[in-house]
Amino acid sequence: MWSGIAASPGIAIGKILLLPNKIVPEEKQKKHDDPQRAFEQALLASKEELITLREQVARTNGEEMAAVFDAHLLMLDDPSLIETVNQAMRDGADVVTAVQETIQNLSLMFSGLEDEYMQERAADVRDIGQRLLGHLTGASAMDWSALTEPVIVIAHDLTPSDTAQFNPEMIYGFATEIGGKTSHSAIAARMMGIPAVVGIKELLKGARSGELAIVDGEAGQLIVNPTQQQLVQYEAKFRQSRDFCAGMDSFQELPAVTVDRQRIGIAANIGWVRDVESALQYGAEGIGLYRTEFLFMNRETAPTEEEQYIAYKTVLENMAGRPVVIRTLDVGGDKQIGYLNMPAEKNPFLGWRAIRMCLDRPELFKIQLRALWRAGRYGDLKIMFPMISNLDELRRAKELLLQAREELVAEGKMVAGSISVGMMIEIPSAALIADQLAPEVDFFSIGSNDLIQYTMGVDRMNESINHLYQPLHPAILRLISMVIDAAHRQGKWVGMCGEMAGDLTCVPVLVGLGLDEFSISASDIPGVKKLVRTLSGRKCREVAAKCLAAGTAADIRALIADLS
Ligand code: PEP
Ligand code: MG
């Protein structure tokens, strides 16, 4: 049994297809008399391949999956990438080394930023690198459409173009040696409903093509050559999970209401304007978190007021009157942005990030606040501030928000009449003074990703201490309970927009603690709605009370398991 990180839920049983690390020995590599020309030809061949793949994947897996190839085509046209390779060749490197080094440096730069979005870019960079090297060395890429029987894929890593080509009817599940819950392959697996476990060290040494394997995407385990007993046990689990997923589509449009009529709000988290489409498709009743920092990434200068206004307005218009919570700029920590000239820090997660930076740079912050006031006329806008750790920060942020409005009014610009203002609870100090913060806001949104990180003292990006990152630790549940109770006592509502809200194991206890809104990935919406509709609010409250008194996350899991 191999343990890793549970990346995408579900059980898969099937034969292994092992993808070896593709390294072509030097003596077997093509020789290049004219390296410059070889590079040009590799670029051209890669582009042609990408165009064909794009068309193919758009037909089989839809436009969203095909978009990865558009990004790769753009990267291959990037003059600075081409120039760096050419320069390395002029400096004497052979073409394979020049491409390898350029790709490695670029990918290290992206992955060094540790931001989830940037890490995806690093995977894309490695992906185009592999494609170019494939053409230069003669190593052929895997042809996923040629599979003749369903498999469990085992690989060191999977590239974005691999996963984009996956057909869930042929790829029952996968396991990789590297990656985390937010790595590209994990996100793709969840989108396609393929059970997956990632981050299993040394996995390639312990598996062979053709062997039977079980992927347990809930427990984060891979079993190679299972015993008869394990097989029987997992086949039963597989049937249960298949029955749970059956008819999932029909839950999209239904409200999340418990059998005893406790109504739960279900919203989606988005990063881009275009994400609204899938949020609505999956049945989101609103947007519970719009991460505006994505608008600021991958560019040379900050987006203008006009640009931000158009983005926020479009989201509000497309959500057609449904509530939209827009979070103000949350950069720093794992999200570094070159043009903001943020100083290097020893502990960026504990450093000058999010609201801290915005309050120190009101000229930058106000541009966003102005755009929000202007856009607020086009829908039900709610603003929230990230990383508030004390009352002063909240008050200062609200002061700047009001100033921005006054300035716009003085300039004769049209602004929203009023906007509901909330804050994220993601630092334990904020959770502990929730009763003092509640009178000054309209709502709280619990950022469980950071709240767990700061409460448990566990870096959320560090795979090796992943086992200590425990959403169901009693300390986390107690903080959540304190926040909800403090808010409810003052007539305020509480949402949660961290990953915990979409974790089906956590949902019953969150319902029992009284969480009003779950803001989750769009694709998790039908599953959460379906689960909530089987729960009894009364029983969830009883279990939640017991969980608050429990000593360990394992005890809490057992209490929740007893519910079903
Ligand atoms: C969180 O911390 O839970 C959250 C939603 O914010 P982010 O993941 O963007 O830090
Ligand atoms: Mg956060």
Side-chain angles (χ1 to χ4, degrees):
M1 165 120 55
W2 299 75
S3 291
I5 297 168
S8 176
I11 304 291
I13 304 174
K15 280 197 195 150
I16 292 177
L17 170 69
L18 186 77
L19 289 194
N21 266 334
K22 278 178 278 173
I23 300 169
V24 178
E26 236 172 87
E27 65 280 7
K28 290 202 181 152
Q29 288 179 16
K30 287 189 207 163
K31 296 280 173 278
H32 305 287
D33 299 331
D34 183 348
Q36 178 73 42
R37 195 165 147 64
F39 178 48
E40 278 163 20
Q41 279 176 348
L43 275 174
L44 201 68
S46 299
K47 283 190 209 167
E48 282 170 358
E49 202 169 65
L50 284 170
I51 291 167
T52 314
L53 277 174
R54 197 212 177 281
E55 279 169 16
Q56 204 177 305
V57 170
R59 263 198 317 276
T60 52
N61 287 0
E63 280 296 321
E64 204 175 342
M65 297 306 278
V68 69
F69 300 109
D70 293 329
H72 291 189
L73 279 163
L74 276 176
M75 281 184 182
L76 286 180
D77 272 333
D78 180 359
S80 71
L81 175 104
I82 296 171
E83 177 47 27
T84 314
V85 174
N86 282 333
Q87 185 58 48
M89 288 193 284
R90 285 196 292 276
D91 291 344
D94 64 89
V95 58
V96 170
T97 313
V99 170
Q100 263 169 346
E101 282 180 3
T102 306
I103 293 295
Q104 199 181 4
N105 290 340
L106 206 60
S107 127
L108 273 179
M109 188 200 83
F110 280 122
S111 47
L113 297 176
E114 286 190 4
D115 163 51
E116 183 185 321
Y117 175 80
M118 289 302 183
Q119 279 188 345
E120 277 177 55
R121 298 286 314 266
D124 286 313
V125 170
R126 287 195 298 273
D127 196 339
I128 58 156
Q130 265 187 28
R131 193 171 296 286
L132 284 170
L133 289 169
H135 287 289
L136 288 167
T137 61
S140 55
M142 176 73 196
D143 179 2
W144 293 104
S145 65
L147 284 178
T148 52
E149 59 170 351
V151 291
I152 304 267
V153 176
I154 291 194
H156 175 64
D157 191 17
L158 289 165
T159 62
S161 42
D162 284 326
T163 48
Q165 295 174 71
F166 277 7
N167 167 2
E169 280 169 24
M170 294 306 263
I171 311 289
Y172 279 175
F174 68 76
T176 59
E177 287 190 324
I178 63 168
K181 230 185 161 85
T182 55
S183 61
H184 152 79
S185 51
I187 292 168
R190 287 198 292 276
M191 271 173 75
M192 288 186 284
I194 298 178
V197 181
V198 298
I200 306 182
K201 296 204 173 73
E202 311 273 321
L203 170 61
L204 260 51
K205 289 186 193 153
R208 252 175 277 145
S209 282
E211 287 178 329
L212 194 64
I214 299 172
V215 176
D216 182 342
E218 267 126 67
Q221 281 165 349
L222 176 83
I223 303 172
V224 179
N225 289 325
T227 62
Q228 194 54 32
Q229 197 190 357
Q230 283 172 321
L231 208 54
V232 170
Q233 180 198 345
Y234 275 94
E235 275 167 353
K237 263 193 167 187
F238 171 74
R239 279 194 296 277
Q240 266 173 16
S241 89
R242 187 195 49 198
D243 294 347
F244 180 77
C245 295
M248 196 70 98
D249 294 359
S250 56
F251 286 86
Q252 287 171 199
E253 298 314 319
L254 295 176
V257 56
T258 63
V259 289
D260 48 358
R261 315 308 301 162
Q262 184 178 335
R263 179 81 165 86
I264 312 290
I266 303 287
N269 292 345
I270 62 166
W272 300 100
V273 175
R274 61 171 183 267
D275 297 342
V276 168
E277 196 185 321
S278 65
L280 288 173
Q281 262 167 17
Y282 279 109
E285 297 157 356
I287 301 297
L289 167 65
Y290 175 7
R291 289 183 163 98
T292 58
E293 53 273 17
F294 287 96
L295 254 179
F296 289 69
M297 288 174 174
N298 289 323
R299 45 189 301 150
E300 304 297 317
T301 53
T304 61
E305 178 182 320
E306 200 58 24
E307 223 175 307
Q308 294 190 51
Y309 161 70
I310 290 170
Y312 308 152
K313 173 173 176 268
T314 311
V315 169
L316 285 159
E317 283 178 337
N318 293 349
M319 286 303 288
R322 297 176 186 86
V324 174
V325 179
I326 302 189
R327 175 172 79 181
T328 61
L329 188 57
D330 183 1
V331 290
D334 57 337
K335 300 164 191 151
Q336 296 296 327
I337 293 187
Y339 61 81
L340 289 179
N341 297 321
M342 305 180 69
E345 295 175 303
K346 284 221 171 111
N347 289 303
F349 268 112
L350 300 178
W352 197 53
R353 57 173 294 202
I355 200 70
R356 303 169 180 184
M357 196 267 293
C358 287
L359 294 181
D360 286 346
R361 298 181 64 173
E363 72 296 345
L364 174 81
F365 193 29
K366 279 231 200 113
I367 295 172
Q368 179 168 48
L369 300 178
R370 286 168 61 97
L372 286 166
W373 274 116
R374 290 173 54 204
R377 296 172 56 234
Y378 298 90
D380 181 3
L381 171 63
K382 303 177 196 304
I383 293 181
M384 79 177 163
F385 302 118
M387 292 290 295
I388 297 282
S389 66
N390 63 40
L391 255 175
D392 295 329
E393 284 170 335
L394 175 63
R395 288 181 179 153
R396 178 77 186 126
K398 285 174 65 181
E399 213 174 275
L400 288 170
L401 184 63
L402 281 184
Q403 268 178 31
R405 186 174 197 277
E406 280 160 16
E407 283 170 20
L408 286 163
V409 171
E411 291 164 25
K413 303 253 170 67
M414 305 281 275
V415 293
S418 67
I419 298 179
S420 143
V421 177
M423 58 168 275
M424 292 195 66
I425 300 270
E426 49 187 345
I427 300 185
S429 64
L432 291 164
I433 58 160
D435 58 331
Q436 284 157 346
L437 293 161
E440 315 220 4
V441 290
D442 297 309
F443 66 94
F444 287 142
S445 180
I446 300 174
S448 55
N449 303 343
D450 278 319
L451 186 63
I452 299 167
Q453 149 162 282
Y454 294 129
T455 306
M456 310 282 299
V458 174
D459 177 350
R460 64 193 250 198
M461 318 289 285
N462 187 337
E463 281 166 34
S464 57
I465 43 172
N466 190 59
H467 61 289
L468 295 173
Y469 186 91
Q470 297 174 343
L472 289 173
H473 189 287
I476 303 297
L477 295 189
R478 287 185 189 192
L479 285 175
I480 293 171
S481 171
M482 279 178 62
V483 171
I484 296 174
D485 289 349
H488 284 180
R489 271 197 298 275
Q490 302 186 48
K492 309 295 164 75
W493 63 272
V494 184
M496 177 181 283
C497 58
E499 291 300 308
M500 183 177 179
D503 183 335
L504 294 181
T505 315
C506 302
V507 168
V509 71
L510 295 173
V511 168
L513 292 174
L515 189 71
D516 301 293
E517 182 186 274
F518 290 61
S519 189
I520 55 187
S521 301
S523 57
D524 288 338
I525 291 176
V528 171
K529 282 189 175 179
K530 182 170 179 182
L531 173 60
V532 169
R533 292 175 69 85
T534 64
L535 296 173
S536 144
R538 182 184 56 78
K539 281 197 190 148
C540 288
R541 282 191 291 281
E542 282 169 14
V543 164
K546 287 186 193 157
C547 291
L548 290 175
T552 68
D555 294 344
I556 289 175
R557 280 180 186 281
L559 284 166
I560 298 171
D562 276 352
L563 252 179
S564 50

